[in-house]
Amino acid sequence: MTLFLDVNTLGSMVDQHGTEEFMTELLGYMKDDFCRWEEFDKSSRTAAHSDIGVIELMPVADGVNYGFKYVNGHPSNPNVGMSTVMAFGALSDVSTGYPRLLSELTLSTALRTSVTSVMAAQALAKPHATSMGMIGCGAQSEFQAIAFHTIIGIKELRIFDIDHQAMDKVAEHLKDYPELTVIKASSAKACVEGADIVTTVTADKAYATILTPDMIEPGMHINGIGGDCPGKTEIHFDVLKAGKIFVEHEPQTRVEGDIQQLPAEHKVNPIWKVIAGLEQGRDTEEQITIFDSVGFALEDFSVLRYVYDLAVQLGVGEQIELIPQLDNPKDLFGLTKRPRCSSAIREVA
């Protein structure tokens, strides 16, 4: 039997366990996996692009588990009442191929993306950062804000979106965190002014320049998570040239990230080596650091491992017959047979 977690079950798990506790424990799983980066069989995701979106498959495996995520990105979906990003995935036993978990990953993706951002900021931002500017108030924005507030210690959050109702939505949700001051900025520039950390989380599939050189200040850490496919960017070319850039899986980020604007010889740094303590992140207090995050399969692997363990611990989820349970493993055809009424069988003299 395969454990199945639908979106309502996952949401209840987070509510029961606590959002902050969920994020903190997931961060531990993710750091453990990034520290053993070289143990994984990795590849860039396979993508099917259209003019208005993308559908992707993201696999990764170590010697014990194989995980994958199916995910889309369609920025115009909210116009027809659907989410921009929707996802599901599975975790299987490498030794047998047996799928142990089939899970929603739409809510989980938002949670793991926020935790990935925090993991990078812990490694790259100035110590004791207290202020963040966040451009983009879509479906993932609250998760980013809560993770940075509860784990990093951000106390002031300025937000900006061209959709004022989206800003109102974020501000309303974050009222549950009275120690976090939320300010609705009048422009993107006002949003990031004086911020220790800047997060860009926009959705349009376009070559955009959300962050321009005049908005950047010494010592900023830029958490760029909106650029995640070819033809989609957020950070101005000159900002990229001015900062020290860190990436997840470089072959994938070269195609999908903001660094698709840069020549191939422009140096970028693997974030996993900083997480593992093998290389230095920020070199100076005044340095601009950039995490050009496009989302990598290892992060989904971490969240699949974690939600499986948590679901077992809490005793939640449904056991489903996703694959055949056979008395004779060679008799698959037997599943197509139905018991026949004995009266239908007769001998002919």
Side-chain angles (χ1 to χ4, degrees):
M1 303 287 278
T2 301
L3 180 63
F4 174 57
L5 300 175
D6 66 12
V7 67
N8 293 319
T9 303
L10 201 290
S12 296
M13 281 174 55
V14 175
D15 184 51
Q16 179 181 347
H17 201 58
T19 304
E20 298 87 350
E21 190 69 20
F22 187 101
M23 288 177 168
T24 301
E25 291 179 358
L26 174 57
L27 179 61
Y29 274 65
M30 195 174 291
K31 283 183 174 180
D32 287 344
D33 287 337
F34 269 75
C35 283
R36 57 191 188 94
W37 177 271
E38 293 181 301
E39 296 178 20
F40 287 90
D41 181 3
K42 301 175 290 293
S43 64
S44 299
R45 54 189 163 206
T46 301
H49 292 278
S50 68
D51 291 339
I52 58 172
V54 63
I55 298 174
E56 300 166 329
L57 191 64
M58 304 169 63
V60 70
D62 61 8
V64 177
N65 293 298
Y66 170 92
F68 79 86
K69 180 170 78 171
Y70 166 102
V71 62
N72 78 301
H74 288 75
S76 61
N77 270 4
N79 297 331
V80 293
M82 300 176 70
S83 298
T84 297
V85 175
M86 297 172 283
F88 65 87
L91 188 69
S92 297
D93 186 336
V94 166
S95 64
T96 63
Y98 192 94
R100 292 188 287 112
L101 173 68
L102 176 65
S103 178
E104 81 79 41
L105 283 180
T106 309
L107 178 57
S108 301
T109 291
L111 287 157
R112 72 80 157 143
T113 303
S114 66
V115 170
T116 304
S117 298
V118 160
M119 180 176 67
Q122 285 180 330
L124 303 177
K126 292 185 297 185
H128 313 300
T130 59
S131 63
M132 182 166 83
M134 184 168 65
I135 303 174
C137 293
Q140 295 201 23
S141 53
E142 290 91 342
F143 298 92
Q144 292 284 328
I146 293 167
F148 273 90
H149 172 56
T150 60
I151 300 176
I152 294 288
I154 293 299
K155 299 186 183 310
E156 180 184 278
L157 175 70
R158 290 195 293 278
I159 59 175
F160 176 75
D161 197 297
I162 56 174
D163 179 355
H164 287 195
Q165 290 183 335
M167 284 199 287
D168 293 340
K169 172 208 62 146
V170 172
E172 183 63 29
H173 281 309
L174 295 180
K175 284 181 179 179
D176 291 338
Y177 298 87
E179 295 183 358
L180 176 63
T181 301
V182 180
I183 301 167
K184 290 183 279 188
S186 58
S187 66
K189 186 172 183 178
C191 178
V192 304
E193 187 174 357
D196 297 316
I197 297 171
V198 173
T199 292
T200 57
V201 57
T202 61
D204 284 345
K205 189 178 181 182
Y207 285 114
T209 50
I210 307 301
L211 281 182
T212 52
D214 60 307
M215 300 164 65
I216 307 305
E217 299 175 15
M220 274 184 173
H221 170 62
I222 300 169
N223 177 44
I225 64 174
D228 58 3
C229 70
K232 182 180 177 187
T233 64
E234 295 180 312
I235 302 173
H236 192 281
F237 178 81
D238 289 335
V239 175
L240 293 171
K241 289 197 299 181
K244 184 177 182 181
I245 302 170
F246 296 82
V247 300
E248 293 140 316
H249 184 55
E250 184 176 344
Q252 179 177 306
T253 312
R254 288 284 183 189
V255 174
E256 300 178 352
D258 272 280
I259 63 169
Q260 65 187 271
Q261 304 173 72
L262 296 177
E265 62 271 18
H266 190 104
K267 184 180 183 335
V268 298
N269 304 275
I271 188 66
W272 77 266
K273 288 190 175 181
V274 184
I275 305 302
L278 300 176
E279 291 187 1
Q280 184 169 298
R282 172 178 296 273
D283 296 314
T284 68
E285 187 82 3
E286 301 297 300
Q287 188 175 51
I288 296 162
T289 54
I290 302 169
F291 179 42
D292 186 7
S293 177
V294 296
F296 185 58
L298 186 56
E299 296 146 20
D300 303 300
F301 180 93
S302 299
V303 79
L304 285 166
R305 283 203 309 118
Y306 174 60
V307 298
Y308 179 81
D309 288 349
L310 183 59
V312 171
Q313 175 189 325
L314 298 177
V316 301
E318 178 184 356
Q319 295 290 337
I320 62 171
E321 292 192 45
L322 183 64
I323 59 170
Q325 306 293 314
L326 301 172
D327 292 331
N328 179 359
K330 294 185 178 181
D331 186 16
L332 182 62
F333 186 73
L335 289 177
T336 69
K337 297 294 187 181
R338 295 291 182 267
R340 292 188 173 92
C341 179
S342 59
S343 62
I345 303 173
R346 61 179 182 172
E347 292 184 5
V348 179

